[in-house]
Amino acid sequence: MTAGGSASMEDGDGKGGLRAALGGLTTRGRSFLAAGIAAAICAYVLGQGDLLRVGLLLTVLPLVCATVLLRTRYQVAGTRRLTPSRVPAGTEARVHLRVENVSRLPTGLLMLQDRVPYVLGPRPRFVLDRVEAGGRREVSYRVRSDLRGRYPLGPLQLRLSDPFGMCELTRSFSAYDTLVVVPRTQPLPPVRLAGEASGYGEGRQRSLALAGEDDVIPRGYRHGDDLRRVHWRSTARYGELMVRREEQPQRARCTVLLDTRRIAYQGTGPDSPFEWAVSGAASALVHMLERGFAVRLLTDDGSSVPGEGEGGFAGSTQESADSAGLMMDTLADVDHSDGGGLSRAYDVLRGGNEGLLVAFLGDVDDEQTAVAARMRQRSGGAVAFVLDSAAWMHGGASDAELAASEERLRRLRESGWTAVAVGPGADLAQLWQQAGQQSSVAQSALSGGTTGFTGGWS
């Protein structure tokens, strides 16, 4: 990512330029000016001609420096390159700055400064020596944030100083970049859940019907196509060789549900339960996309990402890559919602063909447990990671709270969920493995003790 622009080191003539130059006097310049005025006053009172000449010299020197600096015609171009522009939380990115002197005069001493939010680290400052006409200088610095979000970088500022250090003028570029800090993701182990096909394969519905001549969707002949697939009726109609399309298998689907309700979480910061849930959702999205699933992100307020295509799921491989970036960008910005329930997310889920449902839930009461139980009826398989915010905040829960939490988990499991409790600082990879073990046990019980799997998610 690159941002650029040019800045002129000339304010022009007039009162506005002179005022800007006087405003750029450094501490040294102001001290000289004050000392000169004081010496001139003393010389006038005491009648000392030599002291008056010293006072005039001290007064004129910073004014001359400011005037010369003001009338110097410098044209400086600057660019910024950010690599990479999207990084996980806790990972460094490098910012490359390039300054080029596009004027015919060499510059004096340049001080380069880039504005960055405080969470990315200290504000970077660089001192550049004289830059010859047509010359360029390149510097770089690193930024890092433990908090996900979008952070603006810029604008870039240049300070030009005279050789005596009496005056400094600041010029700013208008362009800026944005660093996107996405949640941390964790590699997840391959596990299987019975009842859901994995990745590409024959789905319950086919994308193209080829049962009869009226259902055939032909396309133009391509080199290497089997001549046995030539559709002669379409060939005669269009005047060019047409072939039958191959039947396209439907991709297995997965919906990752993230509970963002403000009342469902306590605490803030990188180690809060909400940030764990966001990171868990990101890890699940990446894992399922790598396994060939068509994935979408769903929040409790009913917002679905990517939101385009069939059912809001990612489509082809290229679309999946774009959708993955879109979903990670969404998770970089996601914040608490003011909603009180999961009913909107329930309404988004349709009947029976939504594939696998992976939910990251905060504190749920009896009413929201019932809503989540009904969600299971609208998916092919369901896994829930339920966080107990009280245990995260206080390091443990009372006996009554533990009993209530276990009761809600039991109700979810009875409705068909693979429900896993998430304790403080839990490791998602271990919980993922635990979910697979629970699913295999439940499938064995339903099939009378057999341990084979007819399908799975990985």
Side-chain angles (χ1 to χ4, degrees), residues 81-88 90-96 120 140-145 153 179-181:
R81 182 166 53 90
L82 182 60
T83 54
S85 59
R86 181 191 292 121
V87 295
T91 304
E92 291 184 344
R94 183 169 288 275
V95 183
H96 302 269
L120 298 182
S140 64
Y141 65 93
R142 294 176 294 179
V143 290
R144 178 180 180 273
S145 174
L153 301 179
L179 175 67
V180 181
V181 181

Side-chain angles (χ1 to χ4, degrees), residues 368-378 411-412 415-417:
Q368 302 312 315
T369 302
V371 175
R374 293 197 299 271
M375 287 183 183
R376 174 61 183 86
Q377 302 171 3
R378 298 192 172 188
R411 291 175 57 186
L412 289 175
S415 64
W417 283 86

Side-chain angles (χ1 to χ4, degrees), residues 127-292:
V127 178
L128 304 181
D129 293 332
R130 177 179 177 273
V131 182
E132 65 279 5
R136 64 182 60 178
R137 299 289 186 270
E138 294 186 2
V139 294
S140 64
Y141 65 93
R142 294 176 294 179
V143 290
R144 178 180 180 273
S145 174
D146 292 328
L147 297 175
R148 57 184 176 82
R150 293 177 181 268
Y151 301 101
L153 301 179
L156 186 63
Q157 292 182 334
L158 282 175
R159 287 187 179 181
L160 181 65
S161 177
D162 66 277
F164 297 101
M166 297 289 180
C167 184
E168 290 182 355
L169 294 182
T170 302
R171 298 293 177 265
S172 296
F173 297 95
S174 58
Y176 66 93
D177 284 338
T178 300
L179 175 67
V180 181
V181 181
V182 300
R184 296 185 182 93
T185 58
Q186 182 178 0
L188 301 179
V191 297
R192 298 176 65 86
L193 284 181
E196 180 64 24
S198 174
Y200 288 97
E202 294 187 357
R204 281 174 283 185
Q205 298 178 355
R206 299 190 180 273
S207 58
L208 297 177
L210 301 178
E213 291 292 328
D214 294 336
D215 294 326
V216 172
I217 304 177
R219 62 168 174 81
Y221 175 82
R222 299 172 185 169
H223 179 72
D225 285 339
D226 190 348
L227 292 178
R228 290 175 296 180
R229 293 172 45 222
V230 174
H231 190 251
W232 297 109
R233 179 179 298 180
S234 298
T235 299
R237 177 183 302 176
Y238 295 105
E240 60 177 327
L241 202 59
M242 306 291 290
V243 297
R244 293 181 176 89
R245 258 184 225 258
E246 293 181 349
E247 189 175 356
Q248 302 294 327
Q250 182 177 348
R251 299 179 70 187
R253 294 177 170 182
C254 176
T255 298
V256 177
L257 172 62
L258 175 62
D259 181 10
T260 64
R261 295 172 299 137
R262 189 180 305 274
I263 61 175
Y265 300 94
Q266 300 179 26
T268 58
D271 298 326
S272 65
F274 180 66
E275 293 301 324
W276 191 98
V278 174
S279 178
S283 301
L285 287 170
V286 173
H287 179 77
M288 302 309 292
L289 282 171
E290 290 176 348
R291 298 303 183 266

